[in-house]
Amino acid sequence: MIRTYPLKHSINIGKQRKIIAVAKAYRQLAVKLAGVQWQEFYRHGDVNKNANTKGVESELSARYKQTCQYQVVGVLKSFIANRQNEFVKMVWGSRLDDQWKRELFYINKYRLWFAKTASMPARDERGTIIEGEAVAIGTETIRLARTIFKHILNQHRRPGLKHCNLALDQKVAKINSRHSSQEQAAKSFDYWITLATLQSRQQIYLPIRSNPYFEGKAGEVKKFCQINIGQDGRLTVCLMKDVEKTAYVPQTPKISLDFGLRTLFATQQGDLYGRNFIEMLKKYDGYITPLASNRQRQGLPVKSRAYNALVNQLRHFLKNEINRV
């Protein structure tokens, strides 16, 4: 099971600017590649991660184009798979006879909505597949499948990629650990990511600090990283591990929980967890509410850099405290 772990970094401002420049070009490239992949989809009924990208203009290298295309294809495949599920529900709930439904399900399963012709395995009276024989699917059925699928597509927005983050493999982001690296500089941090920039043959080195939680998880560190850029411009670097999923073994068959604000949880044994929960909420409320009221009195939008920073701190506190408890 692949798990993603955010780690602390010590990336200086100059390197951060270069990363943001790469991210800007990467996002523009993702939008262009999505257009190419949709053309591929309507032409062949599926996206293609190995499609030719030479005609797509970008400041990024061919390696970046391939990496970006893999990410775009992954997003579109997930989107299309969800639409396939909706197709099944729509056809299953219709009044079409069983033969029509069977053919439509076959078209949907193998993504033949835009095919000119299609055939499916022949079956005997009991519904068993006859080896080596096929039955042609009528053009009316293919046309109906295409109409249904287009109707479902039109009910949803296509995945937006103009704000996507960087999901990078070793072609453009090589991960070195202090244990495996031969360079002396890599000994001062737990990991270093060698990242390709917009300038040809120019790389930057991103120092990453690990933590006991990440190191305590048994598993292989994958040759893949994520670089996320928040709305406030802050960078987050994530590494991935292939960890084994262990079965949960409960220590007690049942537990009763009482949820509250002054104390987050109380158990039937009298254990109290999150005793300072309400105090921290009051503390954040004392910062956020006056700031929002003051901006409203001045006729300014409530959201600002300071307001967003406080709200993000509150969200992180809630997430950490609830997960800890």
Side-chain angles (χ1 to χ4, degrees):
M1 181 176 63
I2 305 297
R3 295 288 302 273
T4 304
Y5 302 89
L7 301 179
K8 290 185 178 180
H9 63 78
S10 299
I11 305 174
N12 61 40
I13 298 298
K15 291 181 179 179
Q16 289 190 31
R17 288 172 180 167
K18 292 183 178 180
I19 295 172
I20 292 173
V22 170
K24 183 178 179 181
Y26 189 91
R27 290 169 173 174
Q28 293 173 349
L29 175 61
V31 173
K32 293 178 181 178
L33 290 175
V36 172
Q37 290 299 327
W38 278 117
Q39 291 178 6
E40 192 77 15
F41 174 76
Y42 284 116
R43 191 178 297 118
H44 303 292
D46 203 355
V47 290
N48 178 15
K49 69 176 184 179
N50 296 317
N52 191 347
T53 60
K54 290 184 178 179
V56 181
E57 294 184 1
S58 175
E59 299 176 74
L60 296 169
S61 65
R63 291 178 298 167
Y64 262 114
K65 286 183 180 180
Q66 189 177 23
T67 299
C68 185
Q69 182 160 254
Y70 284 0
Q71 181 178 352
V72 170
V73 167
V75 172
L76 297 187
K77 276 186 174 292
S78 177
F79 175 79
I80 294 169
N82 289 332
R83 306 294 79 79
Q84 284 182 277
N85 295 335
E86 293 177 18
F87 184 101
V88 171
K89 291 180 181 179
M90 181 175 290
V91 173
W92 186 258
S94 69
R95 297 182 181 181
L96 295 170
D97 60 40
D98 292 344
Q99 181 61 27
W100 275 78
K101 288 182 179 180
R102 191 178 297 114
E103 292 178 355
L104 289 172
F105 289 152
Y106 184 88
I107 293 170
N108 184 62
K109 179 179 180 179
Y110 294 99
R111 301 185 175 187
L112 302 174
W113 312 288
F114 304 101
K116 295 181 179 179
T117 60
S119 60
M120 60 185 296
R123 295 176 181 268
D124 58 21
E125 295 178 354
R126 293 178 297 179
T128 306
I129 295 177
I130 303 173
E131 294 292 338
E133 295 189 20
V135 177
I137 299 175
T139 56
E140 292 184 359
T141 309
I142 299 175
R143 193 180 300 116
L144 176 61
R146 186 183 304 121
T147 301
I148 294 173
F149 194 77
K150 282 185 175 181
H151 171 73
I152 293 172
L153 281 179
N154 292 335
Q155 291 181 326
H156 298 272
R157 290 183 180 179
R158 293 183 179 181
L161 293 162
K162 61 181 180 180
H163 298 297
C164 70
N165 289 307
L166 309 180
L168 308 175
D169 57 20
Q170 62 180 343
K171 290 192 294 295
V172 294
K174 186 178 180 181
I175 301 172
N176 294 313
S177 69
R178 65 178 178 182
H179 305 293
S180 62
S181 177
Q182 301 298 321
E183 298 179 15
Q184 188 65 28
K187 304 298 181 182
S188 55
F189 289 91
D190 299 297
Y191 295 94
W192 284 82
I193 299 176
T194 305
L195 182 71
T197 62
L198 293 180
Q199 288 73 34
S200 177
R201 297 184 181 181
Q202 290 190 16
Q203 300 173 330
I204 55 176
Y205 299 91
L206 313 181
I208 308 297
R209 295 189 184 276
S210 186
N211 56 59
Y213 181 76
F214 178 74
E215 297 299 333
K217 290 291 183 180
E220 178 189 1
V221 178
K222 306 300 290 184
K223 298 178 180 179
F224 193 92
C225 70
Q226 288 184 357
I227 301 179
N228 305 324
I229 303 176
Q231 294 182 350
D232 56 356
R234 295 182 61 183
L235 267 66
T236 305
V237 180
C238 302
L239 298 185
M240 296 183 178
K241 263 190 177 182
D242 188 0
V243 298
E244 294 184 3
K245 187 176 182 181
T246 57
Y248 172 70
V249 180
Q251 296 181 354
T252 181
K254 292 182 180 179
I255 185 170
S256 300
L257 295 174
D258 180 33
F259 171 73
L261 290 179
R262 184 162 298 281
T263 301
L264 191 56
F265 281 111
T267 71
Q268 78 270 31
Q269 286 90 9
D271 299 318
L272 302 178
Y273 298 98
R275 300 187 185 189
N276 297 324
F277 189 67
I278 190 67
E279 300 303 325
M280 290 300 296
L281 291 182
K282 288 180 178 179
K283 178 181 177 180
Y284 280 108
D285 183 64
Y287 295 142
I288 296 174
T289 301
L291 177 61
S293 300
N294 184 43
R295 291 186 64 83
Q296 285 180 328
R297 282 196 299 269
Q298 297 180 58
L300 300 173
V302 173
K303 290 186 177 181
S304 65
R305 179 174 296 181
Y307 179 86
N308 292 340
L310 287 170
V311 170
N312 284 333
Q313 289 180 22
L314 175 59
R315 287 174 177 167
H316 291 318
F317 163 72
L318 291 173
K319 180 179 179 180
N320 291 337
E321 183 66 7
I322 292 172
N323 286 337
R324 181 187 70 81
V325 169

